């Protein structure tokens, strides 16, 4: 069983020890990017409102929280539309050890469906990431 610094059983009773180790858990996060889409004229029938696409730095705070409160997470996959670009505020040299930015469009069988801001097809393709653990948690940044 994983013990947090200080000796407390962090996941006691949550994970059957014979099935999974906490070090095998990954996180996926679908991210639209840094641009503030409120200022753009988005012509997409899947956009309910431009307010939905506002960038409030949710990803930054999410990654900070994972790093501080879930150090047992094996890897974080940030799924973005083509091209796969890293957030400008994230130091790649330090983050590459535990974060990957992945082009989510390459896992779509029908390439005409991507780029997309609809989370459902993205979720339906997460399992195709070759490196992802059998045990992963998907986090949302939508408010």
């Amino acid at each position: 069983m994983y013990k947090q610094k200080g000796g407390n059983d962090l996941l006691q009773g949550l994970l059957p020890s014979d099935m999974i180790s906490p070090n095998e858990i990954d996180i996926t996060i679908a991210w639209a990017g840094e641009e503030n889409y409120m200022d753009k004229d988005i012509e997409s029938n899947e956009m309910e409102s431009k307010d939905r696409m506002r960038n409030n730095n949710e990803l930054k705070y999410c990654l900070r929280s994972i790093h501080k409160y879930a150090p047992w997470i094996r890897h974080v996959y940030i799924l973005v539309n083509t091209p796969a670009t890293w957030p400008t505020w994230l130091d790649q040299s330090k983050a590459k050890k535990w974060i990957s930015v992945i082009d989510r469009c390459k896992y779509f069988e029908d390439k005409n469906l991507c780029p997309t801001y609809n989370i459902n097809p993205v979720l339906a393709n997460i399992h195709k990431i070759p490196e992802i653990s059998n045990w992963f948690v998907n986090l949302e940044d939508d408010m």
Side-chain angles (χ1 to χ4, degrees):
M1 180 54 65
Y2 179 81
K3 292 205 183 254
Q4 191 176 21
K5 292 177 187 174
N8 298 333
D9 286 336
L10 182 64
L11 300 175
Q12 185 175 10
L14 295 178
L15 300 173
S17 60
D18 59 335
M19 290 181 62
I20 184 172
S21 158
N23 299 62
E24 297 174 14
I25 301 172
D26 291 338
I27 288 181
T28 61
I29 306 169
W31 185 54
E34 285 183 283
E35 292 187 54
N36 192 340
Y37 291 93
M38 285 178 52
D39 301 331
K40 295 199 174 278
D41 183 24
I42 299 174
E43 296 180 21
S44 172
N45 59 359
E46 59 189 55
M47 294 300 299
E48 295 156 13
S49 75
K50 291 182 184 180
D51 288 340
R52 182 174 167 259
M53 298 304 293
R54 184 178 324 144
N55 180 9
N56 294 314
N57 294 315
E58 295 97 336
L59 181 65
K60 182 186 291 188
Y61 298 114
C62 180
L63 293 175
R64 286 179 181 174
S65 296
I66 293 167
H67 189 262
K68 184 173 182 177
Y69 299 110
W72 42 267
I73 291 295
R74 185 183 74 131
H75 203 80
V76 175
Y77 295 94
I78 302 171
L79 309 171
V80 298
N81 285 319
T82 304
T85 56
W86 282 74
T88 55
W89 46 263
L90 189 59
D91 184 352
Q92 289 184 44
S93 64
K94 294 178 183 174
K96 276 190 175 184
K97 297 173 188 168
W98 67 286
I99 297 174
S100 296
V101 176
I102 295 181
D103 176 3
R104 62 190 179 200
C105 295
K106 74 180 186 178
Y107 298 107
F108 282 63
E109 289 180 26
D110 184 352
K111 302 300 181 197
N112 294 323
L113 297 177
C114 207
T116 184
Y117 298 101
N118 181 346
I119 192 63
N120 294 322
V122 175
L123 294 175
N125 286 288
I126 289 176
H127 69 281
K128 295 179 182 177
I129 300 170
E131 304 86 15
I132 199 162
S133 171
N134 288 332
W135 299 88
F136 64 90
V137 176
N138 181 64
L139 302 179
E140 296 285 336
D141 70 348
D142 293 335
M143 298 177 68

